[in-house]
């Protein structure tokens, strides 16, 4: 019966194999043949994978083979997900790249480094550094269709530690980034009131230093003055007065704990089913911020003194271009803004169809990201000009705050004194929540995809449980940021958790792809997907210019580390050492894995090196392909 069953199955499998052969001949004739990471020839995208049944060996019982409607054996049981629509992917990439940093970091860095003159180094760094690496990561993820850990077996196995480093950095970011979103959620809830709680000094948490100058005359603003918005943020939301610093961070704020729990609940139910669910959520979270930004821009432009802020934002200081620090800031801003090296672009692109035009996607999404940063500068500085007009001071005195303080003190203070303040506060903090959620989706999806692709035998089919476990780890790791001194921990993790370490990871990733995997082989991969080879500009950037820029930033950042301060609190010296340990804890995975790989690879040292830098003899992941089965008649 088994032999008869096998004979019935053979014609169906043979037809499937014949389709595969015909497809291969067609691809060969059109020049769309590609190379797998091991260098062997494979088809660009196979319509089916089921091989023709081979005759059983003598003396063995033949396997009956798959029946009609059943799944083939092995990893083919779980074909890889794909985006339902192209826009799901684009919105996910834009949502990841456009985050809270576009709103608070770019405007501050721009005016601090020469205003309109800063746009010159920013544009140059984007063209020669950020966008080429953005394109590279999208192409790598789309071609190999795996996450940040297993992809190195197909590129240069000795650099596999990069994948583990990316996952650790992703965890560090989740420890503090979601807490910032929880602060925004607290503000969002507090905004549902007739009078915003940070609009006056008549609250239990206010001090004698609280000074409300809006709508009042003869009010003197001194260096000891504290606005109602600042005291609401520090004394009500954070209750930082109950902490003595990093030595004594105090207990956990239960209100923030509840906010963070709600944030992670949203994240879990957006990610638990993969790109099928997250791709739908981003239609709201990635588009809503642009609606809110346009509303706030129109409102800000109508405020008295708005022009002062715009002039201050764009007034060029050409002398700043002679400063090395300005170019370092421009390069760091574009790399952190576009986000290569976090593994997110690899993960998101791995769910694309093989022939998707990732080149066009890279240009479109990176351009949208940069323009959003520029637009947010107008939204912020029209309001800062209004505040300067009300305080009767210079814009520079109002714009001294950066980081989260700009979003939780300066801007809310201006909103509280606008007509319709409740409405504008609600939409502003809703925008902040959605901006943060998009980036959280991308960061955690990078970790999920990398780990699940590395251990498919254990995790495939158990995504919901794995995501729940990961979210739980991130929630527990965030508890220290919810304490009375949690803002100090957030600042420490922000500076060191994903600072120089992520730039060093991107540098090694670029070197591994361009110099070890080979720029010609990578260009051939791109041609297999898109039908054309990347131009000379992109190759030169990948091989030389982008790595040089990254090395320049890393060295400059390590040599010039300014002292950490927050709310007049000077971080102790030992905290800087702890910060360097946090940064090194992720990067150290790379040399550790190199040593491990060399030790456990057999042969002489020369043979080991040759094996470790050569892509392993693997074909593309069968999970990435679609399975076709012919029915048994």
């Amino acid at each position: 019966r088994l032999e008869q069953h096998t004979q019935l199955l053979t014609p169906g499998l043979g037809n499937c194999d014949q389709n595969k052969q015909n497809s291969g001949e067609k691809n060969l004739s059109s020049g769309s043949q590609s190379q797998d990471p091991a260098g062997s020839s494979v088809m660009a995208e196979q319509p089916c994978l089921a091989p023709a049944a081979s005759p059983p060996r003598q003396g063995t019982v033949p396997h009956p083979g798959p029946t009609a409607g059943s799944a083939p054996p092995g990893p083919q049981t779980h074909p890889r997900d794909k985006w339902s629509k192209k826009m799901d992917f684009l919105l996910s990439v834009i949502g990841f790249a456009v985050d809270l940093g576009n709103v608070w970091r770019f405007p501050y860095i721009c005016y601090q480094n020469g205003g309109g003159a800063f746009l010159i180094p920013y544009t140059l760094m984007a063209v020669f550094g950020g966008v080429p690496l953005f394109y590279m990561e999208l192409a790598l993820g789309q071609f190999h269709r795996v996450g940040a850990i297993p992809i190195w077996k197909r590129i240069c196995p000795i650099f596999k530690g990069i994948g583990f480093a990316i996952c650790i950095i992703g965890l560090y970011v989740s420890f503090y980034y979601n807490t910032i979103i929880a602060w925004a959620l607290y503000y969002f809830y507090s905004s549902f009131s007739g009078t915003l709680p940070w609009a006056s000094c008549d609250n239990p948490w206010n001090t004698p230093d609280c000074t409300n100058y809006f709508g009042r005359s003869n009010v003197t603003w001194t260096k000891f003055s504290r606005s109602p918005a600042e005291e609401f943020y520090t004394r009500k939301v954070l209750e930082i007065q109950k902490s003595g610093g990093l030595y004594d961070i105090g207990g956990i704020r239960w209100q923030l704990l509840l906010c963070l729990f709600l944030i992670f609940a949203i994240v879990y139910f957006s990610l638990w089913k993969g790109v099928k669910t997250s791709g739908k959520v981003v239609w709201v979270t990635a588009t809503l911020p642009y609606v809110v930004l346009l509303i706030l821009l129109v409102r800000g432009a109508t405020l008295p003194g708005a022009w002062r802020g715009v002039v201050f934002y764009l007034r060029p200081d050409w002398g700043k271009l002679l400063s090395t620090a300005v170019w370092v800031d421009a390069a760091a801003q574009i790399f952190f803004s576009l986000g290569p090296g976090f593994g997110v672009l690899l993960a998101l692109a791995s769910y694309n169809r093989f022939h998707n035009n990732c080149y066009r996607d890279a240009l479109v999404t990176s351009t949208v990201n940069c323009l959003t940063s520029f637009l947010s500068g107008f939204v912020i500085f029209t309001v800062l000009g209004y505040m300067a007009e009300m305080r009767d001071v210079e814009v520079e005195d109002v714009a001294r705050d950066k980081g989260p303080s700009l979003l939780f003190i300066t801007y809310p203070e201006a909103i509280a004194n606008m007509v319709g303040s409740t409405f504008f506060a609600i939409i502003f903090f809703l925008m902040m929540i959605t901006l943060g959620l998009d980036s959280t989706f991308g960061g955690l999806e990078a970790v999920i995809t990398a780990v699940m692709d590395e251990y498919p035998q254990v995790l495939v089919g158990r995504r919901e449980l794995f995501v729940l476990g990961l979210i739980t780890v991130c929630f527990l790791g965030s508890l220290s940021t919810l304490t009375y001194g949690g803002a100090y921990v957030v600042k420490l993790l922000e500076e060191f958790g994903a600072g120089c370490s992520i730039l060093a990871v991107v540098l090694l990733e670029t070197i591994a792809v361009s110099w070890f995997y080979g720029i010609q082989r990578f260009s051939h991969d791109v041609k297999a997907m898109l039908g054309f080879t990347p131009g000379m500009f992109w190759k030169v950037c990948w091989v030389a210019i982008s790595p040089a820029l990254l090395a320049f930033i890393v060295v400059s950042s390590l040599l010039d580390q300014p002292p950490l301060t927050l709310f007049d609190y000077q971080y102790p010296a030992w905290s800087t050492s702890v910060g360097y340990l946090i940064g090194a804890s992720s990067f150290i995975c790379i040399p550790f894995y190199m040593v491990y790989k060399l030790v456990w690879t057999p042969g002489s040292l020369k043979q080991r090196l040759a094996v470790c830098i050569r892509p392993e003899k693997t074909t593309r992941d069968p999970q990435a392909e679609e399975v076709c089965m012919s029915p048994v008649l």
Side-chain angles (χ1 to χ4, degrees):
R1 292 180 61 186
L2 289 176
E3 291 176 356
Q4 183 179 8
H5 189 65
T6 304
Q7 291 174 359
L8 287 173
L9 275 175
T10 303
L13 295 175
N15 291 336
C16 187
D17 188 63
Q18 184 64 37
N19 293 337
K20 181 177 178 181
Q21 181 179 354
N22 293 340
S23 175
E25 292 173 355
K26 183 178 179 181
N27 285 338
L28 285 171
S29 62
S30 61
S32 62
Q33 188 179 20
S34 66
Q35 291 261 344
D36 74 352
S40 59
S41 177
V42 297
M43 294 305 105
E45 184 164 16
Q46 311 288 357
C48 57
L49 289 179
S54 57
R57 290 182 297 174
Q58 188 173 6
T60 62
V61 178
H63 191 279
T67 57
S70 66
Q76 296 175 352
T77 306
H78 300 279
R80 190 173 188 82
D81 284 342
K82 286 187 174 66
W83 296 101
S84 299
K85 298 179 181 178
K86 174 67 174 287
M87 281 302 297
D88 293 356
F89 166 70
L90 291 177
L91 289 176
S92 296
V93 173
I94 292 173
F96 162 71
V98 179
D99 66 347
L100 294 173
N102 291 72
V103 180
W104 84 52
R105 187 179 292 116
F106 178 83
Y108 177 84
I109 291 180
C110 184
Y111 95 80
Q112 191 77 3
N113 290 286
F118 177 76
L119 298 177
I120 295 177
Y122 179 77
T123 303
L124 290 176
M125 293 299 174
V127 171
F128 292 99
V131 178
L133 297 184
F134 196 91
Y135 177 22
M136 171 184 280
E137 281 213 357
L138 288 183
L140 285 173
Q142 183 171 306
F143 182 82
H144 295 286
R145 298 187 180 185
V146 287
I149 297 177
I151 195 173
W152 293 101
K153 293 189 294 185
R154 303 160 181 235
I155 298 175
C156 188
I158 200 171
F159 284 98
K160 190 176 180 179
I162 291 177
F164 293 105
I166 287 173
C167 292
I168 294 175
I169 292 173
L171 288 178
Y172 287 153
V173 172
S174 71
F175 290 165
Y176 75 86
Y177 194 81
N178 294 285
T179 298
I180 299 176
I181 310 175
W183 296 344
L185 182 59
Y186 187 95
Y187 269 86
F188 178 72
Y189 169 77
S190 301
S191 299
F192 287 90
S193 61
T195 302
L196 296 176
W198 59 87
S200 68
C201 293
D202 305 325
N203 302 289
W205 57 82
N206 291 127
T207 66
D209 291 330
C210 184
T211 304
N212 190 359
Y213 54 87
F214 276 90
R216 302 183 183 183
S217 58
N218 300 325
V219 175
T220 303
W221 186 265
T222 68
K223 64 178 181 179
F224 301 106
S225 300
R226 297 292 181 265
S227 68
E230 181 177 352
E231 291 203 342
F232 178 80
Y233 176 53
T234 58
R235 300 182 62 82
K236 176 61 176 175
V237 179
L238 303 178
E239 293 192 9
I240 205 167
Q241 72 275 10
K242 297 182 181 180
S243 168
L246 290 177
Y247 292 100
D248 177 25
I249 59 176
I252 292 177
R253 292 266 289 125
W254 69 267
Q255 296 92 336
L256 296 181
L257 182 69
L258 180 59
C259 289
L260 186 66
F261 179 81
L262 292 176
I263 292 297
F264 274 120
I266 295 172
V267 172
Y268 173 71
F269 288 109
S270 299
L271 295 177
W272 69 327
K273 294 293 185 182
V275 296
K276 300 296 184 183
T277 54
S278 63
K280 298 296 178 281
V281 176
V282 294
W283 279 84
V284 176
T285 58
T287 56
L288 182 63
Y290 288 97
V291 177
V292 177
L293 279 174
L294 290 176
I295 294 174
L296 295 175
L297 177 61
V298 172
R299 182 67 186 99
T302 61
L303 294 172
W307 63 272
R308 293 178 58 186
V310 174
V311 170
F312 182 79
Y313 174 46
L314 296 179
R315 183 176 57 217
D317 182 359
W318 303 110
K320 290 278 190 178
L321 296 181
L322 301 177
S323 172
T324 304
V326 172
W327 294 85
V328 173
D329 285 346
Q333 171 62 26
I334 195 64
F335 282 118
F336 280 114
S337 180
L338 291 177
F342 285 93
V344 178
L345 303 177
L346 280 172
L348 297 179
S350 70
Y351 299 104
N352 275 335
R353 299 190 180 277
F354 186 79
H355 292 294
N356 172 67
N357 193 339
C358 58
Y359 171 68
R360 182 177 56 201
D361 295 345
L363 295 180
V364 170
T365 52
S366 56
T367 301
V368 168
N369 174 72
C370 295
L371 291 179
T372 303
S373 298
F374 187 60
L375 173 66
S376 65
F378 289 97
V379 174
I380 295 296
F381 274 91
T382 52
V383 170
L384 294 182
Y386 165 62
M387 292 180 62
E389 185 83 7
M390 295 297 101
R391 285 189 188 179
D392 195 21
V393 296
E394 296 298 324
V395 179
E396 186 174 4
D397 297 327
V398 179
R400 68 180 187 276
D401 292 327
K402 64 176 180 177
S405 296
L406 183 64
L407 300 182
F408 293 109
I409 297 177
T410 310
Y411 207 91
E413 181 182 344
I415 288 178
N417 295 277
M418 295 179 185
V419 177
S421 57
T422 298
F423 168 74
F424 288 109
I426 290 173
I427 64 171
F428 176 72
F429 290 110
L430 182 61
M431 177 191 72
M432 288 179 57
I433 293 170
T434 54
L435 282 174
L437 285 175
D438 285 335
S439 297
T440 294
F441 294 160
L444 292 181
E445 184 60 55
V447 179
I448 294 167
T449 301
V451 177
M452 289 193 66
D453 286 346
E454 177 65 11
Y455 307 104
Q457 301 85 354
V458 178
L459 298 176
V460 168
R462 299 183 179 92
R463 180 183 173 99
E464 293 88 347
L465 289 176
F466 174 65
V467 174
L468 179 61
L470 178 64
I471 294 294
T472 303
V473 170
C474 295
F475 181 78
L476 295 176
S478 303
L479 292 181
S480 63
T481 65
L482 304 176
T483 58
Y484 298 126
Y488 301 132
V489 181
V490 169
K491 179 73 172 179
L492 190 68
L493 289 173
E494 181 189 354
E495 290 291 329
F496 294 101
C500 288
S501 55
I502 192 65
L503 295 175
V505 164
V506 182
L507 172 61
L508 290 181
E509 177 185 316
T510 309
I511 291 174
V513 174
S514 300
W515 299 358
F516 288 86
Y517 184 67
I519 198 64
Q520 293 304 323
R521 190 190 319 219
F522 177 65
S523 299
H524 184 83
D525 295 345
V526 174
K527 183 179 181 181
M529 294 186 295
L530 308 183
F532 58 86
T533 303
M536 184 58 65
F537 167 78
W538 300 105
K539 294 179 182 180
V540 172
C541 287
W542 290 330
V543 172
I545 299 179
S546 296
L549 290 177
L550 285 166
F552 173 63
I553 304 171
V554 171
V555 173
S556 300
S557 301
L558 290 176
L559 294 178
D560 182 21
Q561 185 66 42
L564 281 182
T565 58
L566 182 67
F567 303 135
D568 300 325
Y569 172 73
Q570 187 75 33
Y571 278 69
W574 62 266
S575 64
T576 304
S577 301
V578 172
Y580 282 123
L581 288 177
I582 293 173
S585 63
S586 57
F587 185 78
I588 201 69
C589 295
I590 301 173
F592 273 9
Y593 187 84
M594 288 180 174
V595 174
Y596 162 80
K597 186 70 174 176
L598 287 173
V599 169
W600 286 97
T601 301
S604 64
L605 180 59
K606 183 177 180 180
Q607 292 172 333
R608 294 179 184 187
L609 283 173
V611 170
C612 291
I613 65 175
R614 186 173 63 243
E616 295 179 4
K617 298 292 184 180
T618 58
T619 57
R620 272 225 302 269
D621 190 351
Q623 299 180 40
E625 311 297 344
E626 311 222 321
V627 180
C628 94
M629 295 298 302
S630 298
V632 179
L633 302 178

